[in-house]
Amino acid sequence: MSATLTIGKLAKAAEVGIETIRFYEREGLLAPAGRKASGYRQYEQDAVAKLRFIRMAKRLGFSLKEIQSLLELRLDPRAKRSSLKAKAQAKIADIEARVEELLQMKRALLPLVDACDGLGPLEGCPILRALEHPHHQCKEMPS
């Protein structure tokens, strides 16, 4: 039988906070720990690898719901690489769409910043006018 970890030791080993572990338990990403008679949570060693997996998937932009799907896929002995590749490709497409949306925001904001001299009272500022009267704005601006 392998040694178990307290929540503090698990957090340190996986480089996450204790509250993060509790949150992942509530969200169903991490199985609730068994408890000793003293009431302390005891985690198996494999929880470290699972938390690292979750942390890396989050860093790559996957949502918690998507990470749950990845975890399920990881445990499915019939799963194929093509399934995981498709999920990663879908995430890339999502990231590309978000990047384009951010670029549209930037393109809409740049002329407003250029039109504002940054001097004087706020009243009459072109940025403020654009925020107060968005219907006068460029059609390129995302909603």
Side-chain angles (χ1 to χ4, degrees):
M1 182 169 152
S2 64
T4 58
L5 301 168
T6 62
I7 194 168
K9 288 181 180 176
L10 174 61
K12 186 173 182 177
E15 299 177 31
V16 299
I18 290 172
E19 286 306 313
T20 299
I21 293 171
R22 290 180 178 141
F23 175 73
Y24 290 158
E25 284 182 342
R26 287 190 304 270
E27 294 297 311
L29 293 170
L30 189 64
R35 293 192 183 255
K36 285 183 143 185
S38 63
Y40 286 106
R41 291 179 163 111
Q42 292 295 294
Y43 295 87
E44 299 299 323
Q45 290 287 333
D46 65 344
V48 175
K50 193 173 208 179
L51 285 169
R52 288 180 179 160
F53 180 96
I54 294 167
R55 202 176 83 229
M56 186 59 185
K58 280 185 53 89
R59 189 178 288 151
L60 292 173
F62 289 96
S63 68
L64 293 182
K65 184 178 178 183
E66 291 166 331
I67 293 170
Q68 181 64 47
S69 175
L70 294 175
L71 288 168
E72 290 167 4
L73 190 65
R74 180 177 173 238
L75 296 175
D76 184 350
R78 298 166 293 143
K80 302 289 183 208
R81 290 182 187 182
S82 59
S83 297
L84 185 54
K85 183 175 180 174
K87 290 179 183 297
Q89 287 172 320
K91 181 47 58 184
I92 290 169
D94 178 54
I95 291 167
E96 288 173 345
R98 290 186 356 225
V99 166
E100 182 53 39
E101 184 178 325
L102 290 170
L103 288 171
Q104 286 178 3
M105 288 181 212
K106 180 183 175 183
R107 285 191 295 268
L109 192 54
L110 279 171
L112 299 175
V113 170
D114 288 343
C116 180
D117 62 12
L119 303 172
L122 189 58
E123 185 180 346
C125 174
I127 298 170
L128 185 60
R129 273 197 314 265
L131 294 171
E132 291 174 341
H133 306 288
H135 58 279
H136 291 147
Q137 276 310 294
C138 168
K139 288 183 172 106
E140 197 174 311
M141 183 85 156
S143 50

